[in-house]
Amino acid sequence: MRIARLPLILWWCATLGVAFVAAALATPRPAADAAPASPVTVITIEGAIGPATAEHVRRGLAHAQRDGAQLVVLQMDTPGGLDTSMRRIIRDVLASPVPVASYVGPSGARAASAGTYILYASHIAAMAPGTNLGAATPVAIGGAPEPAQPPARPGRPAQPAASGASEPAPPTGPAPTVSGQKQLSDAVAYIRALAQMRGRNVEWAEKAVREAASLSADEALAQGVIEHVARDLPELLTQLDGRRLEIEGRALTLRTAGAGLVREEPDWRIRLLAVITDPSVALILMMVGIYGLFFEFSNPGALVPGVLGGICLLVGLYALQLLPVNYAGLALIALGLAFMVAEVLMPSFGVLGLGGIVAFVLGAVILIDTEVPGFGIPLGLIAAMAVLSAAVVIGLAGMALRSRRRALVSADATIVGQQARVVSVNADDAWVEVAGERWRVRSPAALQVGQTVQVRGRDGLVLDVLPIDKPQGE
């Protein structure tokens, strides 16, 4: 009986074993065994966009690709910047294999002018509550664009538009020049192309350029300019989790919920570039360089002014070639400094010095050929540098004048008329000591050692002397 039950017990044991194995295989793995989400790189853009900002973004995108980041977030708070730097950033964003999200934040931030273009170029656009974007009209253009039709004459009603709608009021500002209109048309075409590429509101993009329109975060979301409104970065990453994107012909899905944030900080080279590309700093470096070389040439062998001057001049010129420089202003600055140096070398009773100061001030005022905030040279700095240059010129000229009035300290004027003491008398010649030096002398009377004589003249290396006291013993 027990033997008959043995196969049944074995069958039940095998069945239970299979069930346990199947349950173990069907049980999901713990979350700790799941692969961690790829990090998200955060690049901060604050202040005016310039060469240092463009280099910072380029390096950040390269590091994100190297480190395997799944997303790059450009957190922006900018009033705008240089057109060349903005286009460098946009080219890098469009060529990046890692998707880029532009986030205007934190609350109170803005993405004006160049920031609007960068937001339109990004794969994802987001803003924090209380932020705004827009006002993307090129600042180098003065006034509003030309009206489509000429304004109505006084006392004559405006003609209706062809579509039957009332004609808008003509702009009050001056019409742009031909070059300004070309620049405006180029800016409009550029932002329209970016909007079409990313599927965003094309009409408002053009309006932001032509009319300097701006939008708040909620209005931008309602009009299809951005896709997300988030209070902070963690909330934005939560909203982006699971979103599908197509980058360079390949589809990818973001897994940003709980992903780690890696902030890309500028290194010392980018910080140094940010300092020297400040127009005020570049102008100061150039002036220090020119004055350093001037002092070195005036006093050969000093070395320190020449070394520092050469370094400052090269660094200043390097910074200026990265900025939108008006070369007429640069030429006026160089001419002004040359006049001030010439005033020291060949005094012209202030004519060259005054002309140099005027040329320097005019050149510094028109040096930077842009109205972008943060890239101008303060008038106070220009005035201070002009006063300092004038003080240097006046001081050097005064030193030169005082040196001309001093008595000669070399040649015959320092020897003739002095008294000397005879130190040696031989059969053929006699020697005296005058002004700490030994000279051979000749005299119409016999000389003795210790006798005092007076120098009457010099003939080559021989002094003509005349005794002024009697020889000892007489």
Side-chain angles (χ1 to χ4, degrees):
M1 192 68 179
R2 293 177 180 177
I3 297 176
R5 292 179 179 178
L6 185 58
L8 182 60
I9 295 174
L10 294 176
W11 181 82
W12 278 107
C13 290
T15 302
L16 290 175
V18 172
F20 280 121
V21 171
L25 293 176
T27 301
R29 294 183 179 180
D33 295 338
S38 300
V40 174
T41 300
V42 180
I43 303 174
T44 303
I45 299 177
E46 290 184 346
I49 296 174
T53 309
E55 182 64 17
H56 179 41
V57 173
R58 185 192 69 80
R59 289 173 181 259
L61 293 175
H63 293 170
Q65 181 182 1
R66 179 197 63 190
D67 299 337
Q70 62 171 320
L71 179 69
V72 174
V73 178
L74 299 180
Q75 184 170 342
M76 294 191 296
D77 181 10
T78 175
L82 301 180
D83 179 77
T84 53
S85 301
M86 175 198 73
R87 290 179 183 259
R88 280 186 57 193
I89 293 175
I90 291 178
R91 285 197 299 267
D92 292 335
V93 168
L94 297 180
S96 173
V98 181
V100 178
S102 287
Y103 174 61
V104 185
S107 296
R110 58 175 171 167
S113 190
T116 303
Y117 289 84
I118 296 174
L119 182 138
Y120 261 90
S122 301
H123 303 88
I124 301 170
M127 298 174 66
T131 58
N132 67 283
L133 82 160
T137 304
V139 294
I141 300 176
E146 296 177 350
Q149 296 181 3
R153 296 178 181 177
R156 182 179 175 184
Q159 297 296 328
S163 60
S166 60
E167 182 182 6
T172 57
T177 60
V178 175
S179 61
Q181 186 64 43
K182 290 181 179 179
Q183 186 177 3
L184 179 63
S185 300
D186 176 73
V188 169
Y190 191 46
I191 200 169
R192 284 181 63 91
L194 296 175
Q196 293 168 357
M197 175 185 295
R198 301 305 184 197
R200 299 195 176 101
N201 192 324
V202 178
E203 288 72 19
W204 186 87
E206 181 173 350
K207 186 177 180 181
V209 176
R210 291 192 181 277
E211 303 177 18
S214 297
L215 286 178
S216 65
D218 293 334
E219 293 171 340
L221 181 64
Q223 297 191 29
V225 177
I226 62 174
E227 294 85 38
H228 301 275
V229 174
R231 293 190 304 271
D232 50 27
L233 284 177
E235 181 177 342
L236 175 63
L237 297 183
T238 301
Q239 295 181 15
L240 295 179
D241 187 57
R243 176 164 177 172
R244 297 182 60 84
L245 297 172
E246 184 174 345
I247 307 295
E248 297 181 347
R250 57 185 178 87
L252 57 87
T253 303
L254 297 179
R255 301 298 181 191
T256 54
L261 296 178
V262 178
R263 293 193 176 272
E264 182 71 21
E265 300 294 340
D267 57 14
W268 67 269
R269 289 167 293 189
I270 295 177
R271 292 192 181 97
L272 177 62
L273 184 62
V275 171
I276 65 175
T277 51
D278 185 301
S280 300
V281 176
L283 180 61
I284 293 174
L285 287 174
M286 190 176 67
M287 279 200 60
V288 171
I290 292 177
Y291 277 124
L293 294 179
F294 165 69
F295 283 119
E296 179 65 29
F297 294 150
S298 301
N299 302 275
L303 298 181
V304 174
V307 171
L308 292 180
I311 294 174
C312 291
L313 183 60
L314 291 178
V315 173
L317 292 176
Y318 168 74
L320 290 178
Q321 66 93 20
L322 295 176
L323 298 171
V325 174
N326 186 323
Y327 289 100
L330 187 61
L332 281 172
I333 291 175
L335 181 63
L337 293 174
F339 281 168
M340 286 186 279
V341 171
E343 176 67 30
V344 175
L345 298 179
M346 46 180 184
S348 61
F349 303 100
V351 176
L352 289 176
L354 181 61
I357 294 174
V358 172
F360 172 80
V361 171
L362 293 177
V365 169
I366 67 174
L367 177 62
I368 302 300
D369 191 15
T370 183
E371 300 175 7
V372 175
F375 285 93
I377 300 178
L379 294 179
L381 176 63
I382 297 175
M385 295 180 69
V387 171
L388 178 61
S389 299
V392 171
V393 170
I394 294 174
L396 293 178
M399 292 173 59
L401 185 60
R402 286 194 299 271
S403 65
R404 289 189 176 186
R405 292 176 177 176
R406 290 178 181 174
L408 294 176
V409 293
S410 61
D412 296 350
T414 62
I415 299 178
V416 176
Q418 290 195 22
Q419 294 182 2
R421 184 177 180 83
V422 180
V423 296
S424 166
V425 178
N426 301 322
D428 299 329
D429 55 16
W431 294 80
V432 300
E433 184 176 348
V434 55
E437 299 177 342
R438 291 172 64 91
W439 289 79
R440 191 163 70 91
V441 297
R442 60 189 176 194
S443 172
L447 300 177
Q448 295 182 1
V449 176
Q451 189 177 9
T452 302
V453 297
Q454 186 177 34
V455 180
R456 295 296 186 180
R458 183 172 71 91
D459 183 12
L461 298 179
V462 179
L463 298 180
D464 293 323
V465 297
L466 184 67
I468 59 176
D469 61 353
K470 295 181 179 180
Q472 297 179 358
E474 291 186 6

